[in-house]
Amino acid sequence: MFGFKKHCPICGMDADESSIKRFRKHFCSNTCVEKYLEKKAKEKHDKPRGGCC
Ligand SMILES: [Zn+2]
């Protein structure tokens, strides 16, 4: 039994059994997987390495 619903972390759409499982998350489509990767890459890029404070 799978009692809880999963949602695509990018667009928030319901992600059912046909969803794409990546990084322990469920994406509704390849487009969202790509967006997720882009977002992650950006976050990495935005964060200063080694922090100053
Ligand atoms: Zn999505």
Side-chain angles (χ1 to χ4, degrees):
M1 282 231 291
F2 299 94
F4 62 97
K5 270 192 178 177
K6 294 176 180 73
H7 294 96
C8 173
I10 299 301
C11 66
M13 250 176 65
D14 286 354
D16 56 17
E17 284 151 29
S18 60
S19 62
I20 300 152
K21 213 173 162 190
R22 284 276 201 101
F23 318 109
R24 291 186 179 178
K25 292 178 191 298
H26 293 257
F27 299 87
C28 66
S29 67
N30 270 316
T31 317
C32 282
V33 176
E34 275 167 34
K35 274 188 189 170
Y36 180 80
L37 287 172
E38 261 176 43
K39 215 176 136 190
K40 263 205 145 186
K42 252 189 189 172
E43 274 172 13
K44 242 186 190 176
H45 187 73
D46 286 346
K47 271 181 195 161
R49 282 182 66 177
C52 60
C53 325

